[in-house]
Amino acid sequence: MRVSTKGRYGLRVALELALRYGGSPVPVREIAENQGISEKYMEHLISILKNAGLVKSVRGAKGGYVLSLPPSRITLLDIIKPLEGELSPVECVDNPGICDRSSTCVARDIWRRVKERVEGILRSITLQDLVDEHNRRVSAGFMYYI
Amino acid sequence: MRVSTKGRYGLRVALELALRYGGSPVPVREIAENQGISEKYMEHLISILKNAGLVKSVRGAKGGYVLSLPPSRITLLDIIKPLEGELSPVECVDNPGICDRSSTCVARDIWRRVKERVEGILRSITLQDLVDEHNRRVSAGFMYYI
DNA sequence: AAAATTCCTACCACGTCAATAGGTTTTCGG
DNA sequence: CCGAAAACCTATTGACGTGGTAGGAATTTT
């Protein structure tokens, strides 16, 4: 039941772009450095987000990436889905034809509920929520050291 | 975010044992035949359930497996956990030390909530619930053909 | 004794994931 | 106009987990 690094890293990328929303385009190199992830791999991940229409690119020098929508209008599900594919624990939830027991299978119902809940959580949280929470923690951490 | 065949098959095995709870021990061969799964592989899976204390074995001829508790006292989480391991979408939920950002990571909180929800669902359903639902469907299917 | 069954350990083939490599194209600044 | 900075594209690789197999040893019933 693990999310791959695509989903994990991708979420961190999106958060970084959200924190800098409204500013100049952010090059992959910067994100990769901040996150301690290979630049080349990051490039690959962000191209998935681009194809999904979540980020826009600016080519050439001084280029980089920006979110194509305000953080408040992007849910975590929007980000995770293109990176991870369907969030079903089992194939037959999305594709009943794969198993001839699907129509009466009691297990399938369980897996369907699991998927719905997971999607529900991710859909209910926006990037802006994460930004707010992040800022709360940073300022709390700052206060702590005074 | 997929559950492996271990979890899927294991759940079906448990359901079969639950349907036959109170009867004589069920040999692996029978379960494997009913489910269309390799006997050898099934053997391996059921030994995991045995080590977890969910089923008891009776060795020798006329032997087999039985649930070690009534179906109403076994939750789906009890079954899935030994087969699949922790249900965390990311490692750091169970093992914060793996990442030095854990203490302030906003993403980690999300993944923790996902895990809690998934576990919550699986913990709220017992094998007896599945048995009841199964029986309901069987009799409904029967009525349908009259 | 023979058959049925659990139990144990090792092995392997395959696919996916994570990552790397090596370029080509576009754009800005001077 | 040139060079640097950046996105973009395609292919390849290495490692690992998953799913499944093999062969036999131990235990119990008939």
Side-chain angles (χ1 to χ4, degrees):
Chain A
M1 285 285 287
R2 287 281 155 92
V3 166
S4 71
T5 54
K6 281 187 194 150
R8 297 209 309 275
Y9 292 170
L11 187 52
R12 279 154 61 180
V13 170
L15 177 59
E16 191 142 338
L17 292 180
L19 286 166
R20 300 173 64 165
Y21 184 69
S24 50
V26 185
V28 160
R29 186 178 39 72
E30 280 185 34
I31 306 178
E33 269 171 19
N34 289 349
Q35 299 286 344
I37 298 166
S38 139
E39 197 170 326
K40 279 296 188 182
Y41 190 43
M42 181 110 297
E43 229 174 52
H44 182 56
L45 297 188
I46 210 164
S47 87
I48 297 176
L49 294 178
K50 194 199 163 190
N51 289 335
L54 295 169
V55 304
K56 284 185 300 192
S57 66
V58 179
R59 297 191 68 164
K62 297 280 172 185
Y65 292 93
V66 292
L67 291 181
S68 44
L69 292 171
S72 61
R73 302 213 17 231
I74 300 180
T75 73
L76 301 195
L77 186 60
D78 295 330
I79 296 161
I80 296 297
K81 215 161 182 173
L83 293 162
E84 292 286 320
E86 288 295 332
L87 264 44
S88 330
V90 302
E91 171 102 28
C92 64
V93 167
D94 302 309
N95 188 359
I98 203 180
C99 172
D100 51 8
R101 302 163 199 253
S102 291
S103 56
T104 57
C105 179
V106 291
R108 180 165 174 267
D109 274 14
I110 308 301
W111 300 128
R112 195 165 50 201
R113 281 164 65 180
V114 168
K115 176 185 178 179
E116 279 163 13
R117 290 282 195 106
V118 171
E119 288 196 343
I121 296 173
L122 296 181
R123 194 165 21 230
S124 73
I125 303 172
T126 69
L127 278 182
Q128 187 63 50
D129 295 330
L130 291 197
V131 167
D132 293 343
E133 178 61 24
H134 176 87
N135 288 336
R136 216 167 2 247
R137 293 191 189 185
V138 168
S139 65
F142 180 65
M143 295 298 283
Y144 184 76
Y145 283 126
I146 286 182
Chain B
M1 282 288 286
R2 286 281 153 89
V3 166
S4 72
T5 55
K6 282 188 193 148
R8 297 210 307 274
Y9 291 169
L11 187 52
R12 279 153 62 178
V13 169
L15 177 58
E16 191 142 337
L17 292 180
L19 286 165
R20 300 173 65 165
Y21 184 68
S24 49
V26 186
V28 159
R29 185 179 41 73
E30 281 186 35
I31 305 178
E33 267 170 21
N34 288 351
Q35 301 286 342
I37 299 166
S38 141
E39 198 170 324
K40 278 294 188 184
Y41 190 41
M42 180 110 299
E43 228 175 53
H44 183 57
L45 298 189
I46 210 164
S47 86
I48 297 176
L49 295 179
K50 195 200 162 191
N51 289 336
L54 295 169
V55 304
K56 284 184 300 192
S57 66
V58 179
R59 297 190 68 165
K62 298 279 174 183
Y65 292 92
V66 293
L67 291 182
S68 44
L69 292 172
S72 61
R73 302 213 15 231
I74 300 181
T75 73
L76 301 195
L77 186 59
D78 295 331
I79 296 159
I80 296 296
K81 214 160 180 173
L83 292 162
E84 292 286 321
E86 288 295 332
L87 264 46
S88 331
V90 301
E91 170 102 28
C92 65
V93 168
D94 302 310
N95 187 359
I98 204 181
C99 172
D100 51 10
R101 302 163 200 254
S102 291
S103 56
T104 56
C105 179
V106 291
R108 181 164 173 265
D109 272 14
I110 308 302
W111 300 128
R112 194 165 52 200
R113 280 163 68 177
V114 168
K115 175 184 179 181
E116 278 164 12
R117 289 282 196 109
V118 171
E119 289 196 343
I121 296 174
L122 297 180
R123 193 164 24 227
S124 74
I125 303 170
T126 69
L127 278 181
Q128 187 62 49
D129 296 330
L130 290 196
V131 167
D132 293 344
E133 178 61 25
H134 175 86
N135 288 337
R136 213 165 9 243
R137 293 190 188 186
V138 168
S139 66
F142 180 65
M143 296 297 283
Y144 185 76
Y145 282 127
I146 283 183

